[in-house]
Amino acid sequence: MDWLIWLGAAISFAGLAGLIWCIVRVWKARRAALSDEALREVVRRVVPLNMGSLFCSVIGLMMVIMGIFLG
């Protein structure tokens, strides 16, 4: 079950990278002193990616745990 552990770690890392990208994107938008409506638009576009990244991180960690239990 080593492959499940490594695959889960890769998926979890991809989700973590997506979460970091979302944080940086919103942080840059806040520092750009955008109007309230423009900032809301940036956040509105980032939220689905944020949720998808969080989902990938959780699924990857579940795969790692299952690989450890089954291995």
Side-chain angles (χ1 to χ4, degrees), residues 24-46:
V24 169
R25 177 79 173 114
V26 172
W27 187 39
K28 283 182 181 179
R30 287 189 67 195
R31 292 192 59 138
L34 298 175
S35 68
D36 189 43
E37 196 61 37
L39 184 60
R40 284 178 193 253
E41 182 64 25
V42 169
V43 171
R44 188 183 66 79
R45 288 185 180 178
V46 168

